[in-house]
Amino acid sequence: VRPVAATAPTSAPAVAPTAGLSEAESAEAARWGRVDADGTVWVREEDGERAVGQYPGAEAADALAFYVRRFADLHAKVVLFEARLTATDLSVKEIDTTLEHLSSELQAPAAVGDLDGLRRRLESLRTVAAERRAAAETERAAAKQAALEARTAIVVAAEEIAATDPERMQWRPAGDRLRSLLDQWKDSQRNGPRLDRGSEDALWKRFSHARSTFDRERRRFFADLEKRNTEAKHAKERLVVEAESLASSTDWGATSAAYRDLMTRWKAAGRASRKDDDALWARFRAAQDTFFSARDARQRETDEEFAANLQVKLRLLDEAEKLVPVTNLAAAKAALRDIQDRWDQAGKVPRGDVQRVEGRMRAVEQAVRDADQDKWRRTNPETRARAEGAAAQLYAAITALEEDLAAAEKHGDERKIAEAREALEARRSWLELVERAAADSRG
């Protein structure tokens, strides 16, 4: 076949409208083909005329119409791809696959129409496809980076949990948090962008290590806790046995001290499991309550017995407190000795009143002692001797000052007169005090 330049034909058999093409478009497409007498159908292209098939025993218009419909199908595919490329979010893979498929279909199709024009139209879409591909690549890179950061955040959160001090770890919330992080990892892996193998493996290794560390430390913590709980349980069981053995004791003071010691040891023993601790504490507390209830009951009985004694001592206190202030020391001392003898004979008082009544009696006794001590100081021979010696010295000093005053007055020396009078007045005041002390010491 001799190649013919692809120029627009001048005429063609009339072709009926084709689905996807208007009547004018169908006629235009038919002009690019011809039909030989033997039914061979040709199409004109830039590279020349090419046979696209045979349609023997049919009218030329019908033969062309058949191959124009094939062109219409190709045209519709290109138009659809063009619309989807500009109006929808096609994936890069789908764009490339569609371009490759349409290019293959337009390479040498058995169709009649402006194939070169359709190829140029498809080629023009490659630029749009390249832009869409670049944008998609950018979005995918951004999404990949975001996914990498999200996965890294998951790993960091897991590592922070694993690095927490086991003694301060809230194990149940921490375990729930790690399971949530694992669910986030799986969801990101299933639904998020795929990371490169190296990054994903490295992050998963860190995440897995954090989870393993957490599980190991949790097992160790609860094993140690179980050990401590068991030791505490056994220690408290021994304390309960001791407490129960003391419950019926009537040695109130010693047993009260023993229970205080048991309570100190109980607190130092640590905690058993909640169930064991509660059960053991109930037994321990029951033993305590049994003893202290009996002790309190006995104390109430004793207080009732001592109530009469209290009334006696209160009357003795009224009698003793009348001795204060002390005016006659000898009589006060004799009366106090009699009161003290009757005080001792009265016996014990209720525990709650001991401090009050004893305090009042101590106050009276102290007042009498203070009066006795004061009299002793005043009648002490050494004190009297010192007072009399000081008085003699003051008498001599006063005599000398009187002579100095007379001499100063004779000479009219006002300064010496004033000094002598001031000194004389001071010595006379001292003498008065000393003479009073001497008198007191003589009784």
Side-chain angles (χ1 to χ4, degrees):
V1 177
R2 181 173 58 84
V4 178
T7 58
T10 57
S11 62
V15 176
T18 303
L21 295 178
S22 66
E23 183 177 353
E25 289 172 334
S26 297
E28 174 63 24
R31 291 194 183 98
W32 291 89
R34 67 181 179 84
V35 181
D36 282 347
D38 61 358
T40 300
V41 180
W42 298 79
V43 64
R44 292 182 180 81
E45 296 176 312
E46 291 178 351
D47 292 336
E49 195 173 48
R50 176 174 61 84
V52 296
Q54 284 188 321
Y55 204 109
E59 296 291 334
D62 293 337
L64 283 175
F66 176 78
Y67 288 99
V68 167
R69 283 195 296 273
R70 291 189 174 181
F71 173 79
D73 291 339
L74 292 172
H75 179 272
K77 291 180 181 180
V78 172
V79 170
L80 176 62
F81 177 58
E82 184 178 46
R84 293 184 65 200
L85 190 62
T86 56
T88 61
D89 293 330
L90 291 179
S91 66
V92 173
K93 181 178 181 180
E94 189 172 1
I95 291 173
D96 291 342
T97 300
T98 304
L99 277 172
E100 181 180 354
H101 181 68
L102 289 177
S103 296
S104 176
E105 285 192 291
L106 286 175
Q107 187 172 2
V112 173
D114 187 2
L115 294 174
D116 290 314
L118 194 58
R119 292 187 186 107
R120 286 191 294 272
R121 185 169 182 176
L122 178 63
E123 193 64 28
S124 68
L125 295 180
R126 290 186 182 277
T127 301
V128 178
E131 293 173 354
R132 288 293 303 278
R133 187 183 299 108
E137 289 292 344
T138 301
E139 291 175 2
R140 185 169 66 178
K144 185 176 179 181
Q145 180 61 30
L148 178 63
E149 292 173 358
R151 297 273 192 98
T152 302
I154 292 173
V155 171
V156 170
E159 289 173 337
E160 289 177 352
I161 294 173
T164 302
D165 182 354
E167 295 300 326
R168 302 178 61 186
M169 182 81 77
Q170 299 293 323
W171 293 103
R172 185 182 297 278
D176 292 342
R177 175 63 175 152
L178 271 180
R179 284 189 289 274
S180 174
L181 291 172
L182 178 61
D183 290 339
Q184 292 177 41
W185 177 281
K186 292 179 178 179
D187 181 69
S188 178
Q189 198 173 40
R190 285 192 299 265
N191 303 317
R194 297 182 65 85
L195 304 182
D196 61 88
R197 184 64 176 269
S199 297
E200 184 161 16
D201 287 348
L203 287 173
W204 174 251
K205 184 177 180 181
R206 288 172 57 189
F207 187 56
S208 180
H209 178 71
R211 294 175 64 224
S212 298
T213 300
F214 175 82
D215 290 338
R216 182 179 65 253
E217 292 300 326
R218 179 171 56 183
R219 288 192 298 271
R220 179 182 301 168
F221 176 84
F222 283 102
D224 292 343
L225 180 62
E226 179 64 25
K227 181 180 178 182
R228 293 195 300 270
N229 287 349
T230 300
E231 291 173 352
K233 176 184 177 182
H234 292 161
K236 288 185 173 181
E237 286 174 340
R238 292 190 293 271
L239 293 174
V240 167
V241 171
E242 289 187 54
E244 290 174 339
S245 70
L246 295 172
S248 59
S249 173
T250 56
D251 187 358
W252 311 117
T255 306
S256 296
Y259 270 115
R260 287 193 294 272
D261 178 64
L262 286 174
M263 178 59 73
T264 300
R265 290 159 58 193
W266 179 280
K267 292 178 180 178
R271 290 190 61 84
S273 68
R274 187 181 184 88
K275 179 180 178 181
D276 292 335
D277 221 43
D278 289 347
L280 289 170
W281 173 249
R283 290 175 57 190
F284 185 85
R285 186 61 181 270
Q288 276 189 319
D289 290 346
T290 298
F291 168 77
F292 285 110
S293 295
R295 187 198 66 173
D296 293 344
R298 178 55 184 159
Q299 188 62 54
R300 286 191 296 272
E301 293 176 3
T302 301
D303 287 347
E304 291 173 2
E305 293 174 5
F306 293 164
N309 300 343
L310 174 63
Q311 297 304 315
V312 173
K313 286 194 172 184
L314 288 175
R315 289 192 293 272
L316 290 173
L317 281 172
D318 291 338
E319 185 178 342
E321 287 170 346
K322 291 177 182 179
L323 300 175
V324 180
V326 178
T327 56
N328 186 330
L329 180 59
K333 291 172 69 174
L336 181 59
R337 281 194 296 272
D338 177 62
I339 292 171
Q340 287 173 328
D341 290 341
R342 286 182 286 154
W343 182 275
D344 292 338
Q345 293 172 6
K348 296 181 180 180
V349 300
R351 178 179 299 181
D353 298 299
V354 171
Q355 187 174 359
R356 176 171 62 91
V357 297
E358 291 291 340
R360 289 173 63 185
M361 178 57 77
R362 297 292 84 79
V364 173
E365 292 171 344
Q366 185 62 46
V368 174
R369 280 196 298 270
D370 290 344
D372 192 31
Q373 184 67 25
D374 183 60
K375 180 179 179 182
W376 182 86
R377 282 196 303 270
R378 288 187 288 106
T379 59
N380 187 352
E382 293 182 1
T383 303
R384 184 168 62 250
R386 285 196 298 272
E388 291 174 349
Q393 292 176 359
L394 287 170
Y395 277 124
I398 290 171
T399 300
L401 287 170
E402 288 175 342
E403 292 174 355
D404 291 342
L405 176 59
E409 288 175 341
K410 181 178 180 180
H411 291 90
D413 188 337
E414 296 296 333
R415 183 179 63 79
K416 289 186 176 180
I417 291 172
E419 291 177 351
R421 285 178 177 173
E422 182 179 355
L424 185 59
E425 183 179 353
R427 297 308 185 280
R428 286 171 176 167
S429 297
W430 295 349
L431 178 60
E432 183 181 353
L433 293 173
V434 171
E435 287 177 338
R436 188 181 304 157
D440 289 342
S441 66
R442 288 192 296 270

